[in-house]
């Protein structure tokens, strides 16, 4: 059973999303403000969260921060703002997808289904542990270590690294990385990949050169798989 938190202070939007999802076997928990959304997250076992950014009591950014302290479940942000800075901030905090208002309910449902499918595939896949010299990526525990020290990565930085280490030697375009790592065809600026690659390289320190820039194409990971 798919259980979803739908948080938006506009009851009409919540009703529209419910109406367009009638063909799906989903259960919705609704919240009209951020505090109620966070309360539901802590009380219920859910598969995905849809958050409006501008909500009373507690905005979507703050709710997302709290969710990411304990969970990597898929989160979609609904926002009336479409500025690149806002999107980059959201990705840095660990959002999986953005939908700008006004939005197509069908598109939102399609993206929700894509994220749920990706999360299910990730859960069902066999865990693996990748070691490249002193770099360790444990995809079961979601822990990255360098010489025994844990590296603090954002969810998207981790997803990028996990994707790379499982596919060494293959050159990927930015669009391919967006499609595979974000789990859908991203409608926006592919430079988002460059931003996350730069941040990931900085955190990898002496192993930053494992992620190679392929000029005119994208990026390639050069490490091996244990």
């Amino acid at each position: 059973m798919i259980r979803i938190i739908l948080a938006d202070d506009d009851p009409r939007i919540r009703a529209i999303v419910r109406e367009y999802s009638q063909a799906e076997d989903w259960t919705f928990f609704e919240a009209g403000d951020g505090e109620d959304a966070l309360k539901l997250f802590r009380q219920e076992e859910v598969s995905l969260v849809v958050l409006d950014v501008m909500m009373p009591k507690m905005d979507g950014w703050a709710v997302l921060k709290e969710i990411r302290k304990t969970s990597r479940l898929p989160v979609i942000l609904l926002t009336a703002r479409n500025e690149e800075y806002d999107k980059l901030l959201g990705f840095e905090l660990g959002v999986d997808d953005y939908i700008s208002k006004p939005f197509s309910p069908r598109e939102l449902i399609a993206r929700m289904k894509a994220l749920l499918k990706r999360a299910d595939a990730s859960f069902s896949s066999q865990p693996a542990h990748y070691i490249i010299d002193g770099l360790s990526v444990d995809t079961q525990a979601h822990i990255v270590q360098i010489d025994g020290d844990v590296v603090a990565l954002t969810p998207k930085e981790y997803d990028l690294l996990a994707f790379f280490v499982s596919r060494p030697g293959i050159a990927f375009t930015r669009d391919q990385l967006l499609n595979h790592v974000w789990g859908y065809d991203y409608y926006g600026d592919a430079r988002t990949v460059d931003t996350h690659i730069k941040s990931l390289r900085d955190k990898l320190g002496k192993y930053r050169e494992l992620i190679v820039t392929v000029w005119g194409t994208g990026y390639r990971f050069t490490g091996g798989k244990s």
Side-chain angles (χ1 to χ4, degrees):
M1 174 69 72
I2 301 298
R3 297 153 61 89
I4 295 170
I5 294 175
L6 178 59
D8 194 299
D9 59 345
D10 189 338
R12 295 170 300 177
I13 290 179
R14 303 200 303 269
I16 289 172
V17 174
R18 288 199 315 273
E19 179 181 352
Y20 275 83
S21 66
Q22 286 181 353
E24 312 300 330
D25 186 21
W26 294 348
T27 297
F28 283 95
F29 299 94
E30 297 185 27
D33 61 65
E35 288 186 357
D36 284 347
L38 187 58
K39 183 178 180 181
L40 284 170
F41 166 75
R42 289 169 173 167
Q43 289 179 341
E44 305 292 342
E45 183 176 344
V46 297
S47 310
L48 181 144
V49 178
V50 180
L51 292 173
D52 184 25
V53 170
M54 302 304 295
M55 290 188 292
K57 297 185 180 180
M58 191 176 190
D59 65 26
W61 303 116
V63 177
L64 175 60
K65 287 180 182 178
E66 290 300 313
I67 288 175
R68 283 293 174 254
K69 289 179 179 179
T70 59
S71 175
R72 293 177 54 83
L73 90 169
V75 176
I76 297 176
L77 285 180
L78 304 177
T79 175
R81 304 178 64 175
N82 197 28
E83 298 178 6
E84 182 180 17
Y85 172 80
D86 289 338
K87 290 191 173 183
L88 292 178
L89 174 60
F91 289 134
E92 194 69 19
L93 293 176
V95 71
D96 295 276
D97 199 357
Y98 266 99
I99 296 286
S100 297
K101 293 182 177 181
F103 60 86
S104 162
R106 290 188 178 89
E107 180 183 356
L108 174 59
I109 298 303
R111 294 198 185 191
M112 291 167 70
K113 291 171 69 174
L115 284 175
L116 288 166
K117 182 178 180 181
R118 172 172 170 255
D120 182 64
S122 176
F123 179 80
S124 301
S125 62
Q126 292 295 323
H129 192 180
Y130 300 88
I131 300 175
I132 304 97
D133 295 328
L135 174 64
S136 169
V137 182
D138 186 338
T139 58
Q140 181 178 22
H142 283 236
I143 294 175
V144 176
Q145 294 178 301
I146 293 179
D147 297 333
D149 295 325
V150 175
V151 181
L153 300 179
T154 67
K156 274 294 167 283
E157 289 167 357
Y158 170 82
D159 289 344
L160 272 171
L161 182 58
F163 180 80
F164 275 134
V165 297
S166 65
R167 298 163 179 83
I170 302 174
F172 293 97
T173 67
R174 291 167 177 81
D175 287 340
Q176 286 174 325
L177 290 171
L178 284 167
N179 184 50
H180 286 289
V181 176
W182 272 258
Y184 56 89
D185 290 326
Y186 178 69
Y187 299 98
D189 196 334
R191 288 177 298 179
T192 297
V193 171
D194 297 333
T195 300
H196 284 79
I197 292 290
K198 180 181 183 301
S199 178
L200 178 57
R201 280 173 168 164
D202 289 343
K203 294 180 180 181
L204 289 179
K206 63 183 180 181
Y207 294 105
R208 62 181 295 117
E209 294 183 1
L210 290 174
I211 302 176
V212 176
T213 300
V214 182
W215 299 109
T217 302
Y219 299 95
R220 181 180 71 247
F221 188 79
T222 63
K225 175 180 174 182
S226 67

